[in-house]
Amino acid sequence: MDFDEFLASAQKEKPGTSSSQKVVSKSNGKMYTIYLVDDLKSISSSMKREIMLAARASEISVTITDFQDPELALEELQKTKPDLLITDVKMPYLTGDKLVEAVKKIHPELPVIVVTGFATKENILSVYKSDKNSIILSKPWESKRLIETVALLLQAPLVWPED
């Protein structure tokens, strides 16, 4: 499979779709809810898989809803408040920094992780202008760092399973 075929398969789902996955375990009864926004399904699926693996290993209950359309995510965020928002920066229709800016008007205390493959000074400043408390991770991310950041922001005993 060449890159163009990979990209086409990654973008097969039409914009506006979302999916959720839940891990229920023997945790303290707290269910953590994460919204994950990335226009590429392959990226959000990979990140979701890593968080779910850590949740199972840590016996933490987590529900992750992923959105490929940031505008749909914003609509949902106007109705509900997750425990954590993870978003890409470069997306069509609504960029991640603008999404964070809009969400912070609705949920000012919502913790945010911004993931970007374009960690330029301009992108970083744009994100921090929207929310100085956002944590920025570069793509490709290190699994352990992603999980440590999620654990920190959720204040949950989530750990990356060691080999």
Side-chain angles (χ1 to χ4, degrees):
M1 174 185 294
D2 68 9
F3 181 75
D4 290 337
E5 291 171 330
F6 169 77
L7 190 58
S9 70
Q11 295 176 327
K12 268 189 181 167
E13 285 197 24
K14 61 182 181 180
T17 60
S18 69
S19 63
S20 68
Q21 186 173 4
K22 183 187 289 190
V23 169
V24 179
S25 60
K26 304 173 220 151
S27 68
N28 61 4
K30 168 79 173 146
M31 172 65 79
Y32 298 96
T33 304
I34 300 172
Y35 283 5
L36 178 53
V37 186
D38 196 306
D39 58 316
L40 292 177
K41 181 71 174 167
S42 59
I43 300 294
S44 63
S45 293
S46 178
M47 192 173 290
K48 184 194 298 189
R49 191 171 32 256
E50 291 179 7
I51 296 169
M52 298 310 271
L53 178 64
R56 281 187 192 96
S58 305
E59 297 187 340
I60 301 293
S61 298
V62 176
T63 298
I64 301 174
T65 303
D66 65 316
F67 300 87
Q68 279 67 61
D69 181 339
E71 291 176 333
L72 181 65
L74 182 56
E75 284 177 27
E76 188 62 29
L77 283 157
Q78 290 170 342
K79 297 182 254 177
T80 60
K81 181 184 177 202
D83 297 302
L84 175 64
L85 172 65
I86 303 173
T87 184
D88 187 15
V89 172
K90 295 257 184 200
M91 297 181 288
Y93 315 117
L94 180 67
T95 59
D97 58 328
K98 298 298 181 195
L99 174 64
V100 171
E101 186 178 323
V103 168
K104 285 299 184 165
K105 290 176 183 172
I106 306 164
H107 306 295
E109 300 302 316
L110 180 66
V112 176
I113 298 173
V114 177
V115 185
T116 182
F118 304 94
T120 64
K121 183 178 179 181
E122 180 182 284
N123 282 346
I124 291 170
L125 289 174
S126 178
V127 168
Y128 282 134
K129 194 190 249 184
S130 300
D131 176 32
K132 341 181 223 273
N133 297 318
S134 291
I135 295 179
I136 299 174
L137 295 179
S138 294
K139 288 180 189 174
W141 62 88
E142 295 176 31
S143 301
K144 188 173 182 180
R145 176 138 165 76
L146 169 67
I147 299 308
E148 288 171 348
T149 305
V150 170
L152 173 72
L153 292 178
L154 289 177
Q155 299 179 3
L158 187 67
V159 293
W160 182 248
E162 297 299 324
D163 294 328

